[in-house]
Amino acid sequence: MMEEINTQDYERPEVLEGRTIGLKTPCGGFYLTLNEDGNNLREIRMTLGKPGTCQRLLFETIAILLSVLLQSKIPREKIKKALYHQFEGNCGNNKSWHEGEEYHSCINFTITKIFEDMASRGEISFEDDKVVNELS
């Protein structure tokens, strides 16, 4: 049975603060935007490849779904656990580098950056090296 996701209590402020990280991948330019409301990570945007492609639409759709989860009352650790187990050992083989770190796919990069961001706010516990290595 699926758990109901309730975002009714979250009212999006007119302006959110955020940052965008660019990554060159074998699949094209990848951009990850993480937006916060001052306290918590609330929105994610992902762009990969050329406009109008299935790949780009899929990444944009995943970002919207992740944003809905982040705006829900689902505990952050539960979101982390679901993402971690989904991608554990299954992150593709299109290696990319960002700031000296090797990532095995843009999904590996995305999940790692989301976890780092939430951990920096105290929303989840996170051991960077463990996730980067295990998601590889």
Side-chain angles (χ1 to χ4, degrees):
M1 183 175 194
M2 289 197 55
E3 190 173 326
E4 183 177 327
I5 298 175
N6 181 357
T7 60
Q8 291 179 352
D9 292 340
Y10 179 72
E11 289 189 35
R12 187 189 188 281
E14 192 171 315
V15 176
L16 293 175
E17 296 291 323
R19 64 188 171 108
T20 300
I21 307 165
L23 181 68
K24 292 180 182 177
T25 76
C27 303
F30 176 75
Y31 297 92
L32 171 66
T33 301
L34 304 171
N35 292 327
E36 63 174 271
D37 65 2
N39 299 315
N40 297 81
L41 181 61
R42 293 296 187 172
E43 290 181 352
I44 296 172
R45 296 289 177 253
M46 293 188 285
T47 305
L48 177 67
K50 297 178 181 177
T53 63
C54 292
Q55 184 178 37
R56 185 169 180 145
L57 180 60
L58 180 61
F59 271 82
E60 289 173 350
T61 301
I62 291 169
I64 290 168
L65 293 172
L66 286 170
S67 295
V68 169
L69 286 175
L70 292 170
Q71 294 168 14
S72 74
K73 293 183 178 181
I74 296 173
R76 300 291 204 214
E77 287 290 337
K78 189 170 186 175
I79 294 170
K80 179 185 106 173
K81 185 178 178 181
L83 290 174
Y84 179 79
H85 289 297
Q86 175 64 30
F87 295 107
E88 183 178 16
N90 187 26
C91 278
N93 57 4
N94 290 326
K95 294 182 182 180
S96 298
W97 291 83
H98 183 264
E99 296 180 352
E101 294 288 330
E102 179 182 29
Y103 296 91
H104 289 270
S105 70
C106 38
I107 291 294
N108 173 234
F109 176 78
T110 299
I111 300 306
T112 301
K113 292 301 172 191
I114 290 169
F115 288 173
E116 285 175 351
D117 188 87
M118 289 194 303
S120 73
R121 302 166 197 287
E123 295 180 57
I124 62 169
S125 60
F126 174 66
E127 296 175 31
D128 183 34
D129 293 339
K130 180 181 175 187
V131 173
V132 171
N133 292 331
E134 289 184 16
L135 287 180
S136 301

